[in-house]
Amino acid sequence: MASLLGRFCRKLVVPGSAHGSRMVSTTSCDSEAVKSLNLYSAINQALHIALETDPRSYVFGEDVGFGGVFRCTTGLAERFGKNRVFNTPLCEQGIVGFGIGLAAMGNRAVVEIQFADYIYPAFDQIVNEAAKFRYRSGNQFNCGGLTIRAPYGAVGHGGHYHSQSPEAFFCHVPGIKVVIPRSPREAKGLLLSSIRDPNPVVFFEPKWLYRQAVEEVPEHDYMIPLSQAEVIREGSDITLVGWGAQLTVMEQACLDAEKEGISCELIDLKTLLPWDKETVEASVKKTGRLLISHEAPITGGFGAEISATILERCFLKLEAPVSRVCGLDTPFPLVFEPFYMPTKNKILNAIKSTVNY
Amino acid sequence: MAIWFARSRTLVSSLRQNLGLSAIFIKHNYSSRRPVFTNSQLSPRVFLDPFSSYRHESTAVETHPYLVQQSDHEDDAQELDFPGGKVGYTSEMKFIPESSSRRIPCYRVLNEHGKIISDSDFIPVSEKLAVRMYEQMATLQVMDHIFYEAQRQGRISFYLTSVGEEAINIASAAALSPEDVVLPQYREPGVLLWRGFTLEEFANQCFGNKADYGKGRQMPIHYGSNQHNYFTVSSPIATQLPQAAGVGYALKMEKKNACAVTFIGDGGTSEGDFHAGLNFAAVMEAPVVFICRNNGWAISTHISEQFRSDGIVVKGQAYGIRSIRVDGNDALAVYSAVRSAREMAVKEQRPVLIEAMTYRVGHHSTSDDSTKYRAADEIQYWKMSRNPVNRFKKWVEDNGWWSEEDESKLRSSTRKQLLQAIQAAEKWEKQPLTELFNDVYDVKTKNLEEQELGLKELVEKQPQDYPLGFHN
């Protein structure tokens, strides 16, 4: 099922920043009512719609009552009441455990973990409980109504504990889904799909884009399918795969590469678990080269899974080794962030060396 | 509530004795005030001090017959305003003692000889109910014995018994309604037994055969039944506690006449999820009954190595949760306590904590030999002299409701039924291989479809590497 509006029917504007300018504009589609929204507003809209369309849905977590530290939950408590939208004690394992209990009783629990960096106390509940709830019970019970939202990723000044990208830990857990949107329009549709998916979903939101990314977002209720990657830029020389905020950086690298005569195909994975191998495989079979980029440290990062799978499937078609441009194997540093990050030029260098292999 | 009780007496006075810290804190003796500083040294004195109002508004003590009113105010005028409400202050530096001078007493109804202690508060139990309770306690004993032996014979891979905790298992279950949602730890199969899970169903799960509702995915004793409102057991300790808070909240939102009931052992209360579960249930005002089976041992770890508090009951108040300590080997006391707790939870939409004192007579599991870390005569003592089944049996017999003939009939027929159940379960078809791949998600994903195909081919090619009987 294709998304309601094709990728040409939106306008993505991300003002310039230390990460390089990020202007990408395409023609706007006006058959549906749209509004220019940033990421947190798009997510807020999705939450409003989710609560409106299912009276048995709940939103809770630390500080969500007043709107949340990133304003994603603005207006929800006022509109839907404190019984459905509420603050919780400061306890991630409690938040997720409570959410599992609610979901197991047939409700939708959309819980917020304030920063992905703080999700670890809930790791046991996510891995040992939520992920296995249906399987271990022989499908007598399930907590599919659980969705865990958490802001992730670099923000320019976050350091160790406000910048992490922990997606790799969760991609190793059969039974949950891991979804990461790249923009406001994508986030709204993917979040609604995640909330309504009958499986527990971990939804990482690129905090860098909460205010920075502005896009025309349709006002109505729409969903973007999970486990379907999207080719957001067509090319013939090399395939680039990424997710979340990193895609805007990769897009810039693609533009620069184009000036040097290299045609890049860029894929947004969107869902990391279960991931769409077929789309990536088809692209690499066409281009013969693969580059993966993510903020998370390179060793054991999700890029390794993509690389290994594509190697298995496309070995004879590959013209060069799979390239990974990722964060360094260090805790996320503060003053050294510009050195740590997989920047546009690091990606550009890797594109060139892959093409010239 | 007063009318339920078998004896009419001032509930307040009876409960004052049994009440915890708040009662003790009231007993302050101002005449024994001493200077804080002695000689050249600061020696902080430890006093018990009445709290003028130690809880903020939303958890104000209502005029409730069970609770002592905070009427002994001192220093009324001297109050400070802080987030969280008014609090009296004092210029004497006092530390709350690490423990009360007296341990929280244990509520019991039957003495060791199966006689009702005079002037006990308890909810009467009819002959029919009492006989059923006894039968189920005895059935649980027989079931534990036979399955344990089956593991020893290599017929099932694992088992753990509830020996010594039959009263907690059965009496708590008897006190609940079928709509109450149970989230067990793993030593509460009696609750499922009470609700109607058959011996055959227990056997099927232990053998992981095709009839197992869990589809053979988990170790034995990891029972679950949505039909009986009994969540599937999972091995990690205490994870069910915050989930129970969520379940209770769901029932509250649905305005159901039901609560969540969840079990935990003494060891489990050390887990972070215990703190999370109780705190969430209290803050969310969720109808949850937390039942802690304090059986003295967490595998080889004695409770003296588990916590330094007076057991678990004292922790309830720290969360703003009403709590009681009960003799877990006294079926009547457990029944009354759980029934009352359940009513409070549902009517008042609040959590309640019950600490049921007992002893784990059996080993932790079939993978454990507890004689390695505890005295064999300690085990014998509890098995013979503090046996909850015998104790209740005496009471039932004394009432003329049970005879030796009933006893031998029950034991032999249950034994026979169990042996048959095991034989049948052992012979039953195995789960089809496709169940390895189902239910990871609601719908099988592509990678799982591929892996299933690959495995199928492999098994056909090299069947000698794989156990027999798992055909599709």
Side-chain angles (χ1 to χ4, degrees), chain B residues 258-287:
Chain B
C259 64
V261 181
T262 186
F263 293 84
I264 189 70
D266 41 280
T269 66
S270 297
E271 279 282 358
D273 271 340
F274 173 79
H275 166 73
L278 266 66
N279 198 33
F280 269 68
V283 169
M284 299 308 301
E285 297 175 13

PDB file of all heavy atoms in Angstrom, chain B residues 258-287:
ATOM      1  N   ALA B 258     -13.970  -5.646  39.730  1.00  0.00           N
ATOM      2  CA  ALA B 258     -12.869  -6.616  39.716  1.00  0.00           C
ATOM      3  C   ALA B 258     -11.581  -5.867  40.012  1.00  0.00           C
ATOM      4  O   ALA B 258     -11.507  -4.649  39.858  1.00  0.00           O
ATOM      5  CB  ALA B 258     -12.767  -7.298  38.358  1.00  0.00           C
ATOM      6  N   CYS B 259     -10.585  -6.621  40.433  1.00  0.00           N
ATOM      7  CA  CYS B 259      -9.295  -6.002  40.691  1.00  0.00           C
ATOM      8  C   CYS B 259      -8.201  -6.890  40.112  1.00  0.00           C
ATOM      9  O   CYS B 259      -8.457  -8.011  39.680  1.00  0.00           O
ATOM     10  CB  CYS B 259      -9.073  -5.820  42.196  1.00  0.00           C
ATOM     11  SG  CYS B 259      -8.979  -7.370  43.101  1.00  0.00           S
ATOM     12  N   ALA B 260      -6.992  -6.352  40.106  1.00  0.00           N
ATOM     13  CA  ALA B 260      -5.833  -7.150  39.739  1.00  0.00           C
ATOM     14  C   ALA B 260      -5.297  -7.760  41.027  1.00  0.00           C
ATOM     15  O   ALA B 260      -5.318  -7.128  42.076  1.00  0.00           O
ATOM     16  CB  ALA B 260      -4.774  -6.292  39.079  1.00  0.00           C
ATOM     17  N   VAL B 261      -4.852  -8.997  40.954  1.00  0.00           N
ATOM     18  CA  VAL B 261      -4.245  -9.647  42.111  1.00  0.00           C
ATOM     19  C   VAL B 261      -2.915 -10.205  41.650  1.00  0.00           C
ATOM     20  O   VAL B 261      -2.858 -10.934  40.659  1.00  0.00           O
ATOM     21  CB  VAL B 261      -5.121 -10.789  42.649  1.00  0.00           C
ATOM     22  CG1 VAL B 261      -4.456 -11.435  43.866  1.00  0.00           C
ATOM     23  CG2 VAL B 261      -6.502 -10.275  43.016  1.00  0.00           C
ATOM     24  N   THR B 262      -1.862  -9.843  42.337  1.00  0.00           N
ATOM     25  CA  THR B 262      -0.561 -10.285  41.884  1.00  0.00           C
ATOM     26  C   THR B 262       0.269 -10.820  43.049  1.00  0.00           C
ATOM     27  O   THR B 262       0.144 -10.345  44.181  1.00  0.00           O
ATOM     28  CB  THR B 262       0.168  -9.161  41.118  1.00  0.00           C
ATOM     29  OG1 THR B 262       1.384  -9.658  40.575  1.00  0.00           O
ATOM     30  CG2 THR B 262       0.453  -7.969  42.019  1.00  0.00           C
ATOM     31  N   PHE B 263       1.077 -11.815  42.752  1.00  0.00           N
ATOM     32  CA  PHE B 263       1.855 -12.496  43.775  1.00  0.00           C
ATOM     33  C   PHE B 263       3.339 -12.241  43.596  1.00  0.00           C
ATOM     34  O   PHE B 263       3.822 -12.048  42.468  1.00  0.00           O
ATOM     35  CB  PHE B 263       1.596 -14.008  43.703  1.00  0.00           C
ATOM     36  CG  PHE B 263       0.209 -14.400  44.085  1.00  0.00           C
ATOM     37  CD1 PHE B 263      -0.832 -14.353  43.164  1.00  0.00           C
ATOM     38  CD2 PHE B 263      -0.081 -14.831  45.378  1.00  0.00           C
ATOM     39  CE1 PHE B 263      -2.126 -14.721  43.514  1.00  0.00           C
ATOM     40  CE2 PHE B 263      -1.365 -15.209  45.735  1.00  0.00           C
ATOM     41  CZ  PHE B 263      -2.390 -15.151  44.812  1.00  0.00           C
ATOM     42  N   ILE B 264       4.051 -12.288  44.719  1.00  0.00           N
ATOM     43  CA  ILE B 264       5.506 -12.114  44.691  1.00  0.00           C
ATOM     44  C   ILE B 264       6.076 -12.821  45.920  1.00  0.00           C
ATOM     45  O   ILE B 264       5.385 -13.004  46.913  1.00  0.00           O
ATOM     46  CB  ILE B 264       5.854 -10.594  44.694  1.00  0.00           C
ATOM     47  CG1 ILE B 264       7.328 -10.359  44.453  1.00  0.00           C
ATOM     48  CG2 ILE B 264       5.443  -9.941  46.014  1.00  0.00           C
ATOM     49  CD1 ILE B 264       7.799 -10.662  43.060  1.00  0.00           C
ATOM     50  N   GLY B 265       7.322 -13.232  45.813  1.00  0.00           N
ATOM     51  CA  GLY B 265       7.964 -13.857  46.967  1.00  0.00           C
ATOM     52  C   GLY B 265       8.741 -12.816  47.752  1.00  0.00           C
ATOM     53  O   GLY B 265       8.788 -11.642  47.389  1.00  0.00           O
ATOM     54  N   ASP B 266       9.369 -13.260  48.864  1.00  0.00           N
ATOM     55  CA  ASP B 266      10.159 -12.329  49.653  1.00  0.00           C
ATOM     56  C   ASP B 266      11.324 -11.791  48.838  1.00  0.00           C
ATOM     57  O   ASP B 266      11.637 -10.597  48.875  1.00  0.00           O
ATOM     58  CB  ASP B 266      10.654 -12.989  50.950  1.00  0.00           C
ATOM     59  CG  ASP B 266      11.123 -14.418  50.724  1.00  0.00           C
ATOM     60  OD1 ASP B 266      10.262 -15.318  50.644  1.00  0.00           O
ATOM     61  OD2 ASP B 266      12.354 -14.615  50.603  1.00  0.00           O
ATOM     62  N   GLY B 267      11.964 -12.670  48.081  1.00  0.00           N
ATOM     63  CA  GLY B 267      13.100 -12.239  47.266  1.00  0.00           C
ATOM     64  C   GLY B 267      12.693 -11.213  46.225  1.00  0.00           C
ATOM     65  O   GLY B 267      13.400 -10.223  45.994  1.00  0.00           O
ATOM     66  N   GLY B 268      11.562 -11.432  45.624  1.00  0.00           N
ATOM     67  CA  GLY B 268      11.098 -10.531  44.567  1.00  0.00           C
ATOM     68  C   GLY B 268      10.903  -9.099  45.035  1.00  0.00           C
ATOM     69  O   GLY B 268      10.944  -8.167  44.224  1.00  0.00           O
ATOM     70  N   THR B 269      10.708  -8.900  46.313  1.00  0.00           N
ATOM     71  CA  THR B 269      10.482  -7.522  46.790  1.00  0.00           C
ATOM     72  C   THR B 269      11.759  -6.697  46.754  1.00  0.00           C
ATOM     73  O   THR B 269      11.724  -5.487  46.961  1.00  0.00           O
ATOM     74  CB  THR B 269       9.921  -7.492  48.223  1.00  0.00           C
ATOM     75  OG1 THR B 269      10.905  -8.009  49.125  1.00  0.00           O
ATOM     76  CG2 THR B 269       8.644  -8.292  48.332  1.00  0.00           C
ATOM     77  N   SER B 270      12.886  -7.343  46.491  1.00  0.00           N
ATOM     78  CA  SER B 270      14.121  -6.574  46.346  1.00  0.00           C
ATOM     79  C   SER B 270      14.270  -6.000  44.949  1.00  0.00           C
ATOM     80  O   SER B 270      15.086  -5.119  44.719  1.00  0.00           O
ATOM     81  CB  SER B 270      15.335  -7.446  46.671  1.00  0.00           C
ATOM     82  OG  SER B 270      15.304  -7.862  48.019  1.00  0.00           O
ATOM     83  N   GLU B 271      13.501  -6.516  44.019  1.00  0.00           N
ATOM     84  CA  GLU B 271      13.602  -6.042  42.634  1.00  0.00           C
ATOM     85  C   GLU B 271      13.054  -4.628  42.499  1.00  0.00           C
ATOM     86  O   GLU B 271      12.132  -4.226  43.211  1.00  0.00           O
ATOM     87  CB  GLU B 271      12.798  -6.957  41.697  1.00  0.00           C
ATOM     88  CG  GLU B 271      13.528  -8.233  41.309  1.00  0.00           C
ATOM     89  CD  GLU B 271      14.587  -7.995  40.239  1.00  0.00           C
ATOM     90  OE1 GLU B 271      14.731  -6.849  39.769  1.00  0.00           O
ATOM     91  OE2 GLU B 271      15.270  -8.964  39.872  1.00  0.00           O
ATOM     92  N   GLY B 272      13.592  -3.897  41.549  1.00  0.00           N
ATOM     93  CA  GLY B 272      13.118  -2.551  41.261  1.00  0.00           C
ATOM     94  C   GLY B 272      11.651  -2.534  40.862  1.00  0.00           C
ATOM     95  O   GLY B 272      10.931  -1.580  41.140  1.00  0.00           O
ATOM     96  N   ASP B 273      11.222  -3.611  40.206  1.00  0.00           N
ATOM     97  CA  ASP B 273       9.827  -3.663  39.757  1.00  0.00           C
ATOM     98  C   ASP B 273       8.845  -3.697  40.937  1.00  0.00           C
ATOM     99  O   ASP B 273       7.681  -3.352  40.783  1.00  0.00           O
ATOM    100  CB  ASP B 273       9.597  -4.879  38.839  1.00  0.00           C
ATOM    101  CG  ASP B 273       9.879  -4.557  37.366  1.00  0.00           C
ATOM    102  OD1 ASP B 273       9.867  -3.359  37.004  1.00  0.00           O
ATOM    103  OD2 ASP B 273      10.102  -5.499  36.581  1.00  0.00           O
ATOM    104  N   PHE B 274       9.319  -4.127  42.120  1.00  0.00           N
ATOM    105  CA  PHE B 274       8.449  -4.108  43.305  1.00  0.00           C
ATOM    106  C   PHE B 274       8.147  -2.657  43.672  1.00  0.00           C
ATOM    107  O   PHE B 274       6.992  -2.259  43.852  1.00  0.00           O
ATOM    108  CB  PHE B 274       9.134  -4.815  44.473  1.00  0.00           C
ATOM    109  CG  PHE B 274       8.405  -4.708  45.788  1.00  0.00           C
ATOM    110  CD1 PHE B 274       7.314  -5.534  46.045  1.00  0.00           C
ATOM    111  CD2 PHE B 274       8.804  -3.813  46.767  1.00  0.00           C
ATOM    112  CE1 PHE B 274       6.634  -5.447  47.265  1.00  0.00           C
ATOM    113  CE2 PHE B 274       8.137  -3.732  47.987  1.00  0.00           C
ATOM    114  CZ  PHE B 274       7.041  -4.550  48.231  1.00  0.00           C
ATOM    115  N   HIS B 275       9.182  -1.871  43.714  1.00  0.00           N
ATOM    116  CA  HIS B 275       9.046  -0.451  44.005  1.00  0.00           C
ATOM    117  C   HIS B 275       8.173   0.214  42.940  1.00  0.00           C
ATOM    118  O   HIS B 275       7.233   0.943  43.250  1.00  0.00           O
ATOM    119  CB  HIS B 275      10.441   0.158  44.064  1.00  0.00           C
ATOM    120  CG  HIS B 275      10.468   1.643  44.021  1.00  0.00           C
ATOM    121  ND1 HIS B 275      10.092   2.433  45.080  1.00  0.00           N
ATOM    122  CD2 HIS B 275      10.832   2.498  43.026  1.00  0.00           C
ATOM    123  CE1 HIS B 275      10.230   3.701  44.744  1.00  0.00           C
ATOM    124  NE2 HIS B 275      10.673   3.782  43.510  1.00  0.00           N
ATOM    125  N   ALA B 276       8.493  -0.083  41.676  1.00  0.00           N
ATOM    126  CA  ALA B 276       7.739   0.507  40.572  1.00  0.00           C
ATOM    127  C   ALA B 276       6.258   0.127  40.660  1.00  0.00           C
ATOM    128  O   ALA B 276       5.374   0.975  40.537  1.00  0.00           O
ATOM    129  CB  ALA B 276       8.317   0.054  39.229  1.00  0.00           C
ATOM    130  N   GLY B 277       6.002  -1.150  40.886  1.00  0.00           N
ATOM    131  CA  GLY B 277       4.616  -1.628  40.904  1.00  0.00           C
ATOM    132  C   GLY B 277       3.794  -1.011  42.018  1.00  0.00           C
ATOM    133  O   GLY B 277       2.672  -0.541  41.788  1.00  0.00           O
ATOM    134  N   LEU B 278       4.340  -0.997  43.221  1.00  0.00           N
ATOM    135  CA  LEU B 278       3.582  -0.443  44.349  1.00  0.00           C
ATOM    136  C   LEU B 278       3.391   1.061  44.194  1.00  0.00           C
ATOM    137  O   LEU B 278       2.300   1.592  44.439  1.00  0.00           O
ATOM    138  CB  LEU B 278       4.274  -0.768  45.682  1.00  0.00           C
ATOM    139  CG  LEU B 278       3.765  -2.049  46.368  1.00  0.00           C
ATOM    140  CD1 LEU B 278       4.100  -3.282  45.551  1.00  0.00           C
ATOM    141  CD2 LEU B 278       4.330  -2.172  47.759  1.00  0.00           C
ATOM    142  N   ASN B 279       4.438   1.729  43.773  1.00  0.00           N
ATOM    143  CA  ASN B 279       4.333   3.178  43.639  1.00  0.00           C
ATOM    144  C   ASN B 279       3.309   3.575  42.577  1.00  0.00           C
ATOM    145  O   ASN B 279       2.490   4.463  42.785  1.00  0.00           O
ATOM    146  CB  ASN B 279       5.712   3.773  43.324  1.00  0.00           C
ATOM    147  CG  ASN B 279       5.765   5.260  43.590  1.00  0.00           C
ATOM    148  OD1 ASN B 279       5.109   5.758  44.498  1.00  0.00           O
ATOM    149  ND2 ASN B 279       6.526   5.980  42.777  1.00  0.00           N
ATOM    150  N   PHE B 280       3.363   2.901  41.451  1.00  0.00           N
ATOM    151  CA  PHE B 280       2.404   3.219  40.397  1.00  0.00           C
ATOM    152  C   PHE B 280       0.976   2.908  40.833  1.00  0.00           C
ATOM    153  O   PHE B 280       0.049   3.683  40.592  1.00  0.00           O
ATOM    154  CB  PHE B 280       2.734   2.446  39.106  1.00  0.00           C
ATOM    155  CG  PHE B 280       3.648   3.184  38.172  1.00  0.00           C
ATOM    156  CD1 PHE B 280       4.964   3.416  38.509  1.00  0.00           C
ATOM    157  CD2 PHE B 280       3.177   3.664  36.958  1.00  0.00           C
ATOM    158  CE1 PHE B 280       5.814   4.109  37.656  1.00  0.00           C
ATOM    159  CE2 PHE B 280       4.025   4.364  36.092  1.00  0.00           C
ATOM    160  CZ  PHE B 280       5.342   4.585  36.439  1.00  0.00           C
ATOM    161  N   ALA B 281       0.793   1.765  41.479  1.00  0.00           N
ATOM    162  CA  ALA B 281      -0.564   1.400  41.901  1.00  0.00           C
ATOM    163  C   ALA B 281      -1.117   2.434  42.872  1.00  0.00           C
ATOM    164  O   ALA B 281      -2.290   2.798  42.806  1.00  0.00           O
ATOM    165  CB  ALA B 281      -0.558   0.017  42.534  1.00  0.00           C
ATOM    166  N   ALA B 282      -0.234   2.924  43.751  1.00  0.00           N
ATOM    167  CA  ALA B 282      -0.684   3.908  44.735  1.00  0.00           C
ATOM    168  C   ALA B 282      -0.997   5.247  44.072  1.00  0.00           C
ATOM    169  O   ALA B 282      -2.058   5.831  44.301  1.00  0.00           O
ATOM    170  CB  ALA B 282       0.381   4.093  45.812  1.00  0.00           C
ATOM    171  N   VAL B 283      -0.097   5.722  43.235  1.00  0.00           N
ATOM    172  CA  VAL B 283      -0.293   7.028  42.596  1.00  0.00           C
ATOM    173  C   VAL B 283      -1.500   6.989  41.656  1.00  0.00           C
ATOM    174  O   VAL B 283      -2.280   7.936  41.610  1.00  0.00           O
ATOM    175  CB  VAL B 283       0.979   7.447  41.829  1.00  0.00           C
ATOM    176  CG1 VAL B 283       0.716   8.660  40.948  1.00  0.00           C
ATOM    177  CG2 VAL B 283       2.107   7.741  42.810  1.00  0.00           C
ATOM    178  N   MET B 284      -1.649   5.905  40.929  1.00  0.00           N
ATOM    179  CA  MET B 284      -2.739   5.802  39.968  1.00  0.00           C
ATOM    180  C   MET B 284      -4.045   5.371  40.639  1.00  0.00           C
ATOM    181  O   MET B 284      -5.070   5.258  39.976  1.00  0.00           O
ATOM    182  CB  MET B 284      -2.386   4.808  38.857  1.00  0.00           C
ATOM    183  CG  MET B 284      -1.163   5.169  38.036  1.00  0.00           C
ATOM    184  SD  MET B 284      -1.198   6.844  37.353  1.00  0.00           S
ATOM    185  CE  MET B 284      -2.686   6.784  36.384  1.00  0.00           C
ATOM    186  N   GLU B 285      -3.985   5.108  41.937  1.00  0.00           N
ATOM    187  CA  GLU B 285      -5.164   4.666  42.697  1.00  0.00           C
ATOM    188  C   GLU B 285      -5.825   3.488  42.003  1.00  0.00           C
ATOM    189  O   GLU B 285      -7.024   3.473  41.718  1.00  0.00           O
ATOM    190  CB  GLU B 285      -6.137   5.843  42.887  1.00  0.00           C
ATOM    191  CG  GLU B 285      -5.489   6.947  43.721  1.00  0.00           C
ATOM    192  CD  GLU B 285      -6.331   8.204  43.854  1.00  0.00           C
ATOM    193  OE1 GLU B 285      -7.522   8.172  43.527  1.00  0.00           O
ATOM    194  OE2 GLU B 285      -5.775   9.219  44.304  1.00  0.00           O
ATOM    195  N   ALA B 286      -4.997   2.488  41.724  1.00  0.00           N
ATOM    196  CA  ALA B 286      -5.470   1.323  40.982  1.00  0.00           C
ATOM    197  C   ALA B 286      -5.882   0.210  41.937  1.00  0.00           C
ATOM    198  O   ALA B 286      -5.224  -0.007  42.952  1.00  0.00           O
ATOM    199  CB  ALA B 286      -4.358   0.830  40.058  1.00  0.00           C
ATOM    200  N   PRO B 287      -6.957  -0.492  41.624  1.00  0.00           N
ATOM    201  CA  PRO B 287      -7.400  -1.605  42.471  1.00  0.00           C
ATOM    202  C   PRO B 287      -6.520  -2.835  42.251  1.00  0.00           C
ATOM    203  O   PRO B 287      -6.738  -3.606  41.316  1.00  0.00           O
ATOM    204  CB  PRO B 287      -8.832  -1.861  41.990  1.00  0.00           C
ATOM    205  CG  PRO B 287      -8.862  -1.373  40.588  1.00  0.00           C
ATOM    206  CD  PRO B 287      -7.863  -0.265  40.469  1.00  0.00           C
TER     207      PRO B 287
END
